[in-house]
Amino acid sequence: MQDSRRIFWPAIAGALLALTGLLAQFYVTFSSRQLPPLETVVRFFSYFTILTNTLVAGYFLVRSLAPGSRWGRWAARAEVGTALTVYILVVGVVYQAVLRGLVPLAGWGILVDNILHGLVPLYMLGFWLLLIAGQPVRWRTLPCWLLYPAAYLAYTLLRGPSAGFYPYPFVDVAALGYRPVLRNCLLVLVVMLAISVLLAAFSNWRHRRSLA
């Protein structure tokens, strides 16, 4: 109970931040759409950024509003919070390193861009450092953390040819071909695994230090 009270307000703040970014981005996307509504929604949720920020919002909502539920107990596991921190950090790192500036932004688009790619990753990292890191992380779970990004990449490559749409230029098979795209996907997964190892090692180190 004491842990739930300590988590409540930071989790509420994180949920509000992520939801604000998501809802504002949906408004910007839908108000300027040139495609049918259904396809606009499908493409909106075809971005790893949107999906991962949605997971972050759901995580914070469950931890704040339903900590004693089955989902709340699952979300409270160190592996879940650490894996989600890895995912949202990759969103920020890939955007800053590869994607920033490729799409011109103005007005609300700039604010939303900074929330989803900057503020949410930084907030999740701070939440992890203060409230999760120091709990033991089981090493055997790390390969499972790659299932979500691997499934996302597989979906993107399978749907891309029929939809004529690739959400990110580094997975655009029509422009690059399969070999470079597969190499890019492998690089993303390697970066994600490296960050996973780093965060897990840090959390386990803090756990051992607290026991000592």
Side-chain angles (χ1 to χ4, degrees), residues 48-53 55-56 59 74 79-95 116-117 120-121 124 141-152 188-189 191-193 195-196 199:
F48 191 77
T49 295
I50 298 300
L51 291 175
T52 306
N53 273 274
L55 289 178
V56 169
Y59 171 82
W74 177 78
E79 291 86 1
V80 175
T82 306
L84 194 54
T85 303
V86 171
Y87 302 148
I88 198 67
L89 283 179
V90 168
V91 166
V93 169
V94 171
Y95 180 79
L116 297 179
H117 297 107
V120 173
M124 186 70 202
T141 64
L142 263 65
C144 299
W145 300 5
L146 297 180
L147 292 178
Y148 161 59
Y152 169 80
V188 170
L189 292 176
V191 169
M192 194 165 290
L193 181 60
I195 297 176
S196 299
L199 294 192

Side-chain angles (χ1 to χ4, degrees), residues 159-179:
R159 186 178 187 271
S162 59
F165 170 73
Y166 296 92
Y168 300 107
F170 59 87
V171 293
D172 191 342
V173 173
L176 302 177
Y178 275 101
R179 183 173 294 180

Side-chain angles (χ1 to χ4, degrees), residues 62-149:
V62 168
R63 295 220 61 184
S64 59
L65 302 180
S69 68
R70 181 180 177 182
W71 283 106
R73 293 190 299 270
W74 177 78
R77 295 178 181 177
E79 291 86 1
V80 175
T82 306
L84 194 54
T85 303
V86 171
Y87 302 148
I88 198 67
L89 283 179
V90 168
V91 166
V93 169
V94 171
Y95 180 79
Q96 300 298 335
V98 179
L99 302 174
R100 176 172 283 280
L102 294 183
V103 177
L105 300 171
W108 283 103
I110 297 175
L111 176 62
V112 171
D113 180 74
N114 287 324
I115 292 175
L116 297 179
H117 297 107
L119 293 180
V120 173
L122 288 174
Y123 189 90
M124 186 70 202
L125 178 60
F127 183 91
W128 180 83
L129 286 170
L130 293 175
L131 297 170
I132 299 176
Q135 300 176 41
V137 175
R138 294 169 295 175
W139 288 103
R140 66 177 182 272
T141 64
L142 263 65
C144 299
W145 300 5
L146 297 180
L147 292 178
Y148 161 59

